[in-house]
Amino acid sequence: MDLITNLETAFAYLIVGAPALLVVVLGLCLLFERPLSERTTCQLVATVLSVGFISALAMSGCAWLHGMPQRTVPLGDWVVVSGYKFSGKLLFDWLSLLFLVLSFMLCGVIGRFATHYLHREPGFHRFFVLFAVFVFGMTLTSIAGTIETLFTGWELVGLSSALLVAFFQDRSAPVRNGLRVWSVYRISDAALLIGAVALHGMKGFGDFQALFGETAWPHGEPRLLASQALLVGVLFAVAAAGKSALVPFSGWLPRAMEGPTPSSAIFYGALSVHLGAFLLLRAGPLISLSIPLCVLLVVWGLATAALSASAARVQSDIKSALAFASLTQVGLIVAEIGLGLRWIPLIHMIGHASLRTLQFVRAPNLLQDYRSMENAMGRRLPHSINAPRRVLRSRWQRWFYRWALERGYFDEFLNEFIVRPFLSMFRWFDSLERRWTDFLSSRPSRESDEIKPHSDLVEEFV
């Protein structure tokens, strides 16, 4: 039994250490401007992902053979204060193991695809550094045993995602869209951080085992009151909405398609877009305590699915159409979680992530095939009539088309009622600070003439 325990611990450290080593090696080579050759980079990425995948399968095999309900590997206490403890822990149960195997498998597929897709691209090595950060972040998030560990991986995934949206930095649109993605992620991260602080304020720790009981997932006995579960659950739901692009945050998803196709496939078709649903599954025992929270998730998920299904039908490019089709399924997964299901949304997530990855990878060749067929036929291929066109009258068709094209007008709502008020408030604070410094220095500051008008700031953000 001790041998099995030692093997499980070794596999756990390999699962975390292999992606961390990849980040360090590729990052140092890029930092000191001595990047590896493309062939060496490809071999290193393939080796690391293979080691992680085999270790995850071995860990899953141990769990299957020996009936391991859940296995923990402590990473030590990070901060210990009277009444509070911030610690790191790795938690291996069926939720984390299945999601971990899925992450390594799909990252391996996309890593192999990216080596050919980005061949001789000037940012080839920069892509794989950010890709390695993403893999490490997904690994930490998948097997996080505490809210602190999960938040660390959550941040790494968000950082690599926003930087890869702005990958083609010689153009202004990717940079602007990367800033938009990062801004929405900040809202999501703030909600998750507040939820973590609330948990520490209620219990003094963020250990999932201590919070949800020793019973293995999907069962659990939360040690929180219903009102406390509602508060923390709503914060987690907002965090999931920002990360998974649920309404009203869906507007950043088509903007994220500015990144390379490999990152679009692994982030917004497969893994990152499902991370919000994974968080809700991890907090499933807590969600089950509050009926209003379950109703909220069902309504939120169905509203997202309806909006995304409509928006996907009016997109003019295949990547955006696939992204909204992916979001439709994510909305349904969230609704399934709200209905109290656990295994069904997990299986739905695994199957959908695998399918959507293959669709994103196939998309460039599909366009070429369609173009060849149309050239051979001498005309455009026929398109099927959508259901709304058969049911709605002509005047409602135009309204519905405009509503879907504008993605429910949620972008304009956020710009008008959140972005503009925040920018106005910060400009007002900035003007007060400058008046105070001008008064103390008895002369106007040089920066006063360089402040952009409020409308310009909004347009630049949007």
Side-chain angles (χ1 to χ4, degrees), residues 231-435:
L231 172 62
V232 177
V234 168
L235 291 171
F236 283 178
V238 174
K243 185 68 76 174
S244 294
L246 305 183
V247 293
F249 306 112
S250 306
W252 67 261
L253 192 64
R255 291 181 169 90
M257 296 300 106
E258 289 283 356
T261 296
S263 63
S264 299
I266 198 67
F267 287 171
Y268 314 115
L271 296 178
S272 181
V273 76
H274 291 99
L275 211 55
F278 174 82
L279 173 64
L280 296 177
L281 282 175
R282 175 57 70 195
L286 182 145
I287 293 173
S288 301
L289 281 181
S290 176
I291 300 300
L293 181 58
C294 294
V295 174
L296 173 65
L297 291 179
V298 172
V299 173
W300 209 335
L302 292 179
T304 300
L307 173 66
S308 304
S310 303
R313 293 175 178 270
V314 299
Q315 298 303 308
S316 58
D317 65 285
I318 190 170
K319 287 177 67 175
S320 295
L322 286 175
F324 276 113
S326 178
L327 186 56
T328 303
Q329 299 302 315
V330 172
L332 294 177
I333 291 171
V334 171
E336 291 166 359
I337 296 172
L339 290 173
L341 305 174
R342 294 295 176 263
W343 285 106
I344 289 179
L346 178 58
I347 296 171
H348 190 174
M349 187 189 308
I350 293 172
H352 174 249
S354 303
L355 171 65
R356 206 62 74 184
T357 300
L358 295 178
Q359 286 183 325
F360 267 97
V361 170
R362 169 70 174 137
N365 289 336
L366 180 65
L367 293 177
Q368 183 64 32
D369 292 344
Y370 263 80
R371 193 175 297 112
S372 300
M373 292 175 62
E374 290 176 345
N375 290 337
M377 295 173 63
R379 59 184 176 86
R380 293 179 61 87
L381 293 175
H383 298 281
S384 61
I385 300 177
N386 293 331
R389 294 183 61 185
R390 295 194 298 264
V391 176
L392 299 176
R393 296 180 179 179
S394 58
R395 61 171 182 168
W396 289 107
Q397 287 179 16
R398 290 191 295 270
W399 180 89
F400 188 75
Y401 181 87
R402 179 67 182 270
W403 180 84
L405 191 63
E406 295 290 340
R407 300 182 289 274
Y409 300 99
F410 283 114
D411 279 2
E412 186 61 30
F413 173 82
L414 292 175
N415 293 334
E416 187 66 29
F417 296 102
I418 295 181
V419 176
R420 292 181 188 275
F422 264 78
L423 289 177
S424 298
M425 179 180 66
F426 287 124
R427 275 189 64 85
W428 183 67
F429 286 144
D430 182 69
S431 64
L432 289 180
E433 181 185 10
R434 293 182 186 281
R435 289 178 185 177

Side-chain angles (χ1 to χ4, degrees), residues 102-327:
L102 175 71
S103 300
F104 276 119
M105 180 182 68
L106 296 184
C107 286
V109 171
I110 295 302
R112 182 64 176 174
F113 173 73
T115 58
H116 298 282
Y117 187 87
L118 296 171
H119 177 54
R120 294 187 177 180
E121 172 69 34
F124 181 90
H125 299 93
R126 177 162 49 91
F127 172 87
F128 277 100
V129 170
L130 297 176
F131 181 73
V133 173
F134 170 77
V135 174
F136 182 51
M138 282 300 305
T139 302
L140 273 184
T141 306
S142 301
I143 59 178
T146 64
I147 191 65
E148 298 85 13
T149 313
L150 188 145
F151 185 76
T152 303
W154 187 277
E155 284 291 295
L156 291 175
V157 170
L159 176 63
S160 59
S161 176
L163 290 177
L164 278 172
V165 172
F167 178 77
F168 299 108
Q169 54 194 13
D170 54 334
R171 294 187 284 116
S172 60
V175 177
R176 184 168 61 248
N177 291 329
L179 177 62
R180 181 61 176 247
V181 172
W182 181 247
S183 301
V184 176
Y185 278 176
R186 291 291 84 196
I187 299 174
S188 170
D189 298 344
L192 181 59
L193 182 60
I194 295 172
V197 172
L199 282 177
H200 278 274
M202 296 170 185
K203 295 297 179 180
F205 49 81
D207 191 310
F208 291 139
Q209 275 189 306
L211 287 170
F212 304 145
E214 297 293 332
T215 308
W217 186 90
H219 307 289
E221 300 174 358
R223 301 174 184 178
L224 294 171
L225 301 176
S227 57
Q228 295 174 332
L230 177 61
L231 172 62
V232 177
V234 168
L235 291 171
F236 283 178
V238 174
K243 185 68 76 174
S244 294
L246 305 183
V247 293
F249 306 112
S250 306
W252 67 261
L253 192 64
R255 291 181 169 90
M257 296 300 106
E258 289 283 356
T261 296
S263 63
S264 299
I266 198 67
F267 287 171
Y268 314 115
L271 296 178
S272 181
V273 76
H274 291 99
L275 211 55
F278 174 82
L279 173 64
L280 296 177
L281 282 175
R282 175 57 70 195
L286 182 145
I287 293 173
S288 301
L289 281 181
S290 176
I291 300 300
L293 181 58
C294 294
V295 174
L296 173 65
L297 291 179
V298 172
V299 173
W300 209 335
L302 292 179
T304 300
L307 173 66
S308 304
S310 303
R313 293 175 178 270
V314 299
Q315 298 303 308
S316 58
D317 65 285
I318 190 170
K319 287 177 67 175
S320 295
L322 286 175
F324 276 113
S326 178
L327 186 56

